[in-house]
Structures are given as structure tokens and as C-alpha cells.
Amino acid sequence: MILVTGGAGYIGSHTVILLIEAGYDIVIFDNFSNASLTAHQRVEQIVGETIPLVKGDIRNKEDLEKLFTDYDINSVIHFAGLKAVGESVEQPLKYYDNNVVGTLTLCEVMQAHGCKSIIFSSSATVYGDPETTPITEDFPLSATNPYGRSKLMIEEILRDLYVSDPTWQVILLRYFNPVGAHISGDIGEDPSGIPNNLMPFIAQTAVGKRESLSVFGDDYDTIDGTGVRDYIHVMDLAEGHVKALNILHTIGKVMTINLGTGKGYSVLEMIKAFEDASGKKVPYHIAPRRAGDIATCYADAQYAKNVLGWSATRGIEVMCIDTWRWQSQNPNGYKEN
Ligand code: NAD
Ligand code: UDP
């Protein structure tokens, strides 16, 4: 059985659908600090079956002990974590506790129960401000905020664990910028409060919930002066996890894999693509640069293709169309409309 921590969240819920469709037995473990039970219920509707769900916290050893006793878990896909960069700067201890201590506790309980196979949600943020693009997995690592540092620390902890005991099987997946939603429009990204990320902010502006998008800087050394990122459809990302799970028990080293498309789009290109997909105007204004932002970030996606036989297939149009379907059908996310 596969344990999916954080499986009620944005990327987790989409991945759960594909895991079930691929025939995996799973159990979800989530503390609902950033998730909704409605999302889980809709996932169950989509797959047409009940999916075991345990409410609990990865920092709570008793919760995990019970989970590993009640279920015969042989692998873990570990999504659970906090992810807001700005909040991590204001509350670093909360982030280190939740992400780092939580992962330590999870690994301890896994080890105690003889389960040593884990896929970890890392991030392209561990590349800091890369000197060149595209970014390959062997680029130097650095972090510019506590969120990124928590990812870097966890990567290092998992590498140390493997060195101490090579029967561990570890895949570190470094995501670029996940966007989009399931094709049904029933599940998607539902940020609490004002969105920090570009795509949900664009979507909420298009649907009329926000007046105008602040474009953070138009004087970067990029195609049109605005920041360039590698946006990847969440269903492509989900497929990458299924592929990773398929090889997890055969690998003989810690594998670190970029999950991106290999293409970068600017903020203005994203606005235009979203307007085309939605038929709505996205009012925007140029604002100062956001502290800590970099000009350009996109993946070299070749290694994922070589080792997983995976590459992203959904382009920017599909990303925008699917985001719009979710946003327009659920203007208030999972809250009652
Ligand atoms: P999300 O917030 O939607 O999902 C995370 C889930 O983990 C939530 O359901 C939350 O309730 C749960 N959770 C948090 N702390 C927990 C704890 N202590 N115990 C149990 N459950 C807990 O975020 P997401 O976008 O789905 O991201 C999933 C993972 O991918 C995270 O680790 C995130 O850092 C990483 N990641 C996300 C992005 C992105 O832009 N979305 C990019 C790179 C990496
Ligand atoms: N961005 C923006 N306005 C927003 C949010 C983001 O102009 O309201 C820009 C941001 O400066 C970056 C890009 O959009 O160039 C992607 O930002 P996001 O926060 O989504 O991802 P990250 O910065 O973590 O790659």
C-alpha cells in the first residue's frame, strides 16, 4: 500500500486520481491545515470509489505509529508541507517544525516499520538564483528563504539516510511551477486568502474576484522584462509521480529529478494566454519587483525523460483552459458558492 501524505492538497489530490487509476492501493494522511474535505470527496467521485483517509499530523509520532500499524505501507509519496514563501520568512520556526521536523518524524516511523521507500516533493527553489538556464539537476544548490531551506535540508537528510543505510529508496522530485487543474473542473488549486502565486491570481482576476494583477517588475533581462518561469500542468506532474513510483523499488541510488516542461513563459505571456483561453480581460499594472524573485527559471527536462520515460505533454493553452474551467465553475474554490 502507498501512503500519500498531504494527499488532500493541490498536487496530492490530482496525483491520487492517477494512482487509483493505475491500480495502486493508497491511504491518504493529511492534517487539513491547507486542504478541504470537499476536495477529497470530489476525488472519490471522479474515481468512483472510497479512498482511505486518515486525519493526522506528520509531526505526531503516535498518529504515524497508528497509521503504520493499521495499514501495510510499503512506500510513501510525501507531499505534506507548508509552502508559502512569504509566510516562511515571517514564521521560520513554523516552517522548520512542520516541514523538517515533520519529515524527520515520518522517516523515523517509516524506518521502525521497515518501510524505506520515499518520493519527496522538492522544488526548483533549491537552485536559488541559477547562473544559467535551462537548469540541470547537478546545478549548485542554495536557498534564499526558510521555505527553500526546509526543502534543501530535507533533501540532505534523505541523502544522509541513504548513506547510512542503502536499502532506503529515495526519489527527490524538484517541481517547477505547478498550475492547471483536473479536466473535470471539479478539483484545482484553492489558495486561502490572497494568492501568492501568479496563476491563481490571474484566474481570480479573470473571474472578477480581484481588481488588477500586480506584475512584479518589468525590467528583468527577459523577453519582455517580466519574470520567466517553467509552468507545468498539475496532471503532468501527477503522471511524473506515477512513473517515479513505478521505478522506486528498482533504484540503487538517491535519484534527483526535475519535473518541468523545459520551456519558460513570461508573466505577460501568461496573462495573454489566459485571456485567450478564458475570453476574459485580465487587468494588470506594473508594480515593483518582489523581494527574492529571480529573472528566469526553467528546467532541463531531459533526465526525467531518460530515467522515467516521462515528459510533460500539456501546453500553456491546456494549462490555462483547465485552470479557467476550475475557477469559473468554482469561483470561491471549495467554499460554498
Ligand atoms: P498544498 O498545501 O495544497 O498541499 C499540502 C498538503 O499537506 C495540504 O493538504 C496540507 O493540509 C498538508 N499538510 C501540511 N502540513 C502537514 C502536516 N504537518 N501533517 C499532515 N499534513 C500536512 O500544497 P501543494 O501545492 O499540493 O504542494 C505539495 C508539496 O509540493 C509541498 O511539499 C510543497 O512544498 C511542494 N511544492 C509545491 C509547489 C507549488 O508551487 N505548489 C512547488 C514545488 C514544491
Ligand atoms: N508574479 C507577478 N504577480 C503576482 C505573482 C507572481 O508578477 O501576483 C510573477 C513573479 O514575480 C514571477 C512569476 O510571476 O516572475 C511566478 O511567480 P510565482 O509566485 O507564481 O512562482 P515563483 O516565483 O515561486 O516561481
Side-chain angles (χ1 to χ4, degrees):
M1 186 170 238
I2 315 296
L3 166 63
V4 184
T5 74
Y10 171 47
I11 304 169
S13 58
H14 288 79
T15 304
V16 160
I17 292 174
L18 294 190
L19 290 170
I20 301 275
E21 287 175 359
Y24 284 105
D25 259 346
I26 69 162
V27 55
I28 295 170
F29 185 77
D30 201 300
N31 70 354
F32 286 85
S33 58
N34 193 36
S36 151
L37 198 55
T38 309
H40 178 68
Q41 288 160 349
R42 291 189 182 178
V43 168
E44 290 187 327
Q45 272 166 19
I46 290 167
V47 298
E49 59 184 80
T50 305
I51 305 166
L53 167 73
V54 175
K55 194 170 176 191
D57 196 298
I58 52 167
R59 289 164 297 179
N60 185 319
K61 214 165 190 164
E62 287 82 57
D63 284 357
L64 288 172
E65 279 292 344
K66 180 157 179 6
L67 179 74
F68 276 80
T69 306
D70 290 350
Y71 294 88
D72 185 16
I73 296 164
N74 56 43
S75 314
V76 178
I77 305 184
H78 179 31
F79 292 108
L82 298 174
K83 61 167 182 176
V85 172
E87 188 187 52
S88 82
V89 174
E90 284 155 20
Q91 301 183 61
L93 300 182
K94 178 174 168 183
Y95 273 67
Y96 292 127
D97 181 42
N98 196 85
N99 294 1
V100 180
V101 175
T103 303
L104 280 179
T105 312
L106 173 67
C107 289
E108 279 167 14
V109 176
M110 285 175 67
Q111 193 161 43
H113 287 261
C115 169
K116 299 184 186 174
S117 304
I118 184 166
I119 295 173
F120 172 62
S121 301
S122 188
S123 164
T125 192
V126 300
Y127 296 116
D129 190 355
E131 278 192 14
T132 57
T133 43
I135 301 169
T136 53
E137 287 82 354
D138 56 2
F139 267 36
L141 304 178
S142 68
T144 50
N145 56 68
Y147 166 70
R149 231 176 319 276
S150 77
K151 292 292 175 192
L152 213 44
M153 286 176 184
I154 296 167
E155 283 201 0
E156 286 172 352
I157 288 166
L158 292 172
R159 283 192 207 98
D160 285 343
L161 200 51
Y162 175 78
V163 170
S164 76
D165 174 359
T167 65
W168 273 86
Q169 292 160 323
V170 179
I171 299 183
L172 309 172
L173 296 178
R174 293 183 180 148
Y175 312 155
F176 281 68
N177 290 56
V179 298
H182 187 258
I183 192 164
S184 63
D186 290 338
I187 61 165
E189 187 172 11
D190 181 21
S192 60
I194 300 169
N196 297 307
N197 295 112
L198 179 66
M199 191 61 143
F201 204 108
I202 288 180
Q204 292 194 6
T205 308
V207 86
K209 283 190 73 177
R210 313 266 160 217
E211 242 170 57
S212 172
L213 167 77
S214 300
V215 174
F216 297 141
D218 66 349
D219 56 353
Y220 286 106
D221 183 16
T222 63
I223 168 176
D224 56 22
T226 65
V228 167
R229 296 290 183 275
D230 185 339
Y231 298 94
I232 174 167
H233 197 294
V234 66
M235 292 306 291
D236 278 325
L237 205 56
E239 279 167 12
H241 287 76
V242 177
K243 297 279 188 180
L245 191 57
N246 291 343
I247 66 160
L248 183 60
H249 292 279
T250 67
I251 62 174
K253 60 174 180 178
V254 174
M255 285 190 118
T256 308
I257 308 172
N258 285 342
L259 292 185
T261 66
K263 283 196 211 64
Y265 289 100
S266 74
V267 175
L268 296 182
E269 286 174 325
M270 292 304 285
I271 294 172
K272 170 80 173 60
F274 203 89
E275 289 183 336
D276 290 347
S278 64
K280 299 281 175 191
K281 260 333 254 179
V282 178
Y284 70 86
H285 58 278
I286 305 300
R289 289 183 178 195
R290 183 171 66 179
D293 269 0
I294 59 176
T296 303
C297 175
Y298 59 92
D300 184 319
Q302 191 57 45
Y303 186 61
K305 195 168 185 181
N306 295 350
V307 296
L308 300 179
W310 169 93
S311 48
T313 60
R314 295 163 180 86
I316 186 176
E317 297 83 10
V318 178
M319 297 182 210
C320 293
I321 288 169
D322 289 346
T323 302
W324 178 241
R325 192 181 298 107
W326 152 251
Q327 183 69 63
S328 53
Q329 289 177 14
N330 305 272
N332 296 317
Y334 293 114
K335 287 172 257 352
E336 289 295 317
N337 293 321

